[in-house]
Amino acid sequence: AVTVGAAARQRPGAAAVALPVAEAGGLRDVRPKIGVRVAIVDDAVELVHADLWPNVAQAASFSYRQGNRGSAWPLPCSGADGHGTSVAGIIAARDDNAIGVAGVAPRASIVAYNALATSTDADIADALTRDLAANGVYNNSWGSPDTGVLNAAEPSFVAAIQAGIANGRGGKGAIYVFPGGNGGPSDNANFDGYVNKLGVIAVCAVDDTGRAPYYAEPGANLLVCAPSSNNRVVGGQLVGITTTRIGNGYRSDFSGTSASTPTVAGVAALVLAANPQLTWRDLRLILAQTARQNDPNDPGWTSHFGYRFNHKYGFGVVDAAAAVALAPGWQSVGGSENLKSCGPYTRSALNLALPDATGPAASPVVTPVSDSQTIAGCDITAIEFVEIRFTATHAYSGDLRVRLSSPAGLQSVLAAERGCLPANVQDPCRPYNDWQFGSNRHLGEAVNGTWTLEVTDMQPLDTGRFDRWSIRFHGR
């Protein structure tokens, strides 16, 4: 996935490519498109690509690049701007045209917002809320650095997502799809502040065997996976996802959760086409309920409340056929206006010492520390999302394992111990200071009962204390 926050790259010559080029190439296509529009928030998209142009919503894209700002042509300026074009092909490369490839939703409309050309907080927030009435799905194949460091989302991002799920699609809510990350098992999707939020679909990847690739991050906040690659080389060529490439070309080496995310965005477009009245909450539930169990021998799978879940795979691999089949007869649970919330329920000033791990680092002796609170009077009988906030004072937060246990005994692994690449010398992991975790693990469970947060110092040398935590529930 592309990382937000990197220095803006030069994009010379963006204005040199214009609509007449597309017209001269005979690419105009007036065949009807399905009534779902997907916004691709990325670095750039070659809208004049022969396999994309027929599905491009006319004059609806937006460029954020300096010197071309406000143009409806957020086009690539160099080979470094090819990411968004490859994403777009997976979503909506045109079918039945005797060229190239076909996307997951090959008759969806697409627009491009190149907010990553500037990567400013304001431009990202603007792209995520641009044309909320017209856009059904927002694909975002980018995220925080994959270093194991806690990376919080900007307040403007949080506000944009909240506005989108409340107001998008005439109040039914926009669909936001993001990658779970490429940091591998030593990282966690819950360390990325963009994807541990209510309203965000966090997507994991599987390889061609249905297993987690080397870069896959676990997370209680993952919803579904989709295919990508696993660094396999055949005949000297990296085997990946085949999709569109800038220069009116194609590639077969696209990889990472950047490649799995647009598959889920495309499936979301198909599902909304099958039933335009579905809300953002309905879409999440349909994807979870119809996901296919992959890697069935993995010991991480559990089954409760009608769902299978695995911290590696969320609810499994997205199943387009099953999701589309379920959509027309789905009984809506409502949108944001009908979403029930309970909490936050807070336990503060705990000051619980976290005993340091002892013995060898390879097999330390550890002492878990836990705190519980019993919830009563919440009328949510089917959880849809859980938010947990956690604060600990510790010299090296990467030593800490954090787990949430529910009244039914289900466990959300919110954080595992890991080594963090330095954000700076003084603060290599960043502390857990009111850090928000998200969990889909408890989908369908009732709220009332005792919830326990367990914190364990898993490595020697550094000590600390468990200061406070809170929990908030969303559901019906």
Side-chain angles (χ1 to χ4, degrees):
V2 173
T3 296
V4 170
R9 294 166 286 175
Q10 296 297 314
R11 304 292 202 280
V17 182
L19 179 58
V21 173
E23 292 177 332
L27 299 177
R28 180 170 294 282
D29 190 314
V30 296
R31 289 180 291 177
K33 307 171 182 66
I34 65 172
V36 176
R37 204 165 91 178
V38 181
I40 301 162
V41 182
D42 216 288
D43 55 1
V45 175
E46 188 176 273
L47 299 175
V48 295
H49 193 292
D51 230 358
L52 298 177
W53 170 251
N55 288 338
V56 173
Q58 300 299 307
S61 296
F62 188 90
S63 176
Y64 292 88
R65 185 181 289 114
Q66 187 176 3
N68 195 39
R69 192 177 183 92
S71 164
W73 297 97
L75 300 172
C77 291
S78 72
D81 296 334
H83 191 265
T85 300
S86 297
V87 166
I90 294 174
I91 296 170
R94 190 60 171 249
D95 65 343
D96 197 26
N97 59 0
I99 61 171
V101 297
V104 174
R107 297 297 174 100
S109 296
I110 56 173
V111 295
Y113 304 144
N114 64 342
L116 299 193
T118 64
S119 288
T120 67
D121 296 352
D123 285 348
I124 293 293
D126 182 82
L128 293 172
T129 52
R130 180 168 289 274
D131 286 348
L132 278 173
N135 296 328
V137 182
Y138 291 76
N139 186 91
N140 304 271
S141 287
W142 49 268
S144 298
D146 297 313
T147 58
V149 175
L150 302 175
N151 288 283
E154 305 82 21
S156 58
F157 173 89
V158 178
I161 297 298
Q162 291 175 344
I165 61 176
N167 304 319
R169 300 169 53 240
K172 293 184 287 292
I175 310 301
Y176 292 105
V177 190
F178 278 80
N182 299 335
S186 62
D187 205 341
N188 192 294
N190 247 317
F191 300 156
D192 183 342
Y194 296 119
V195 296
N196 58 14
K197 300 291 186 292
L198 177 72
V200 170
I201 294 174
V203 178
C204 41
V206 296
D207 64 13
D208 55 351
T209 71
R211 297 181 176 87
Y214 72 93
Y215 52 80
E217 297 181 21
N221 55 324
L222 297 174
L223 191 77
V224 290
C225 292
S228 190
S229 73
N230 197 12
N231 210 26
R232 187 162 66 92
V233 176
V234 176
Q237 295 291 323
L238 181 68
V239 177
I241 299 298
T242 299
T243 183
T244 45
R245 176 178 57 80
I246 59 173
N248 206 38
Y250 300 89
R251 59 186 295 189
S252 296
D253 62 351
F254 200 42
S255 183
T257 48
S258 280
S260 56
T261 298
T263 293
V264 175
V267 172
L270 294 174
V271 172
L272 294 184
N275 185 349
Q277 299 307 311
L278 295 173
T279 68
W280 66 272
R281 294 169 57 200
D282 296 329
L283 190 281
R284 287 171 52 87
L285 292 170
I286 287 172
L287 294 184
Q289 185 169 320
T290 59
R292 173 176 55 82
Q293 184 183 21
N294 58 298
D295 196 7
N297 294 324
D298 187 273
W301 287 105
T302 59
S303 182
H304 296 88
F305 305 104
Y307 299 95
R308 292 183 298 260
F309 186 85
N310 189 316
H311 285 84
K312 288 183 183 178
Y313 303 119
F315 295 98
V317 173
V318 67
D319 188 325
V324 169
L326 186 61
W330 182 263
Q331 184 66 40
S332 179
V333 299
S336 294
E337 77 282 0
N338 302 116
L339 182 67
K340 297 178 180 179
S341 296
C342 292
Y345 303 97
T346 303
R347 294 276 293 168
S348 58
L350 298 175
N351 198 29
L352 298 173
L354 295 171
D356 200 12
T358 59
S363 56
V365 177
V366 299
T367 305
V369 174
S370 63
D371 184 73
S372 300
Q373 48 184 322
T374 299
I375 311 300
C378 177
D379 62 350
I380 295 176
T381 57
I383 291 171
E384 294 177 29
F385 194 73
V386 182
E387 297 172 349
I388 305 95
R389 290 189 174 272
F390 170 62
T391 298
T393 302
H394 198 277
Y396 190 82
S397 62
D399 285 355
L400 301 183
R401 183 184 67 191
V402 185
R403 297 178 174 178
L404 175 73
S405 295
S406 74
L410 306 189
Q411 190 174 83
S412 285
V413 180
L414 304 177
E417 69 280 7
R418 82 276 184 201
C420 308
L421 297 179
N424 58 61
V425 175
Q426 292 77 29
D427 183 18
C429 286
R430 300 197 179 111
Y432 288 111
N433 183 12
D434 199 34
W435 180 258
Q436 178 179 311
F437 295 107
S439 180
N440 291 310
R441 172 72 181 88
H442 305 281
L443 192 66
E445 187 173 357
V447 168
N448 290 336
T450 300
W451 294 80
T452 300
L453 195 69
E454 177 192 274
V455 185
T456 308
D457 189 327
M458 298 294 293
Q459 296 293 331
L461 299 180
D462 298 298
T463 61
R465 65 178 184 271
F466 176 7
D467 295 324
R468 64 180 181 273
W469 70 289
S470 67
I471 190 165
R472 188 180 187 190
F473 305 94
H474 305 277
R476 60 194 187 280

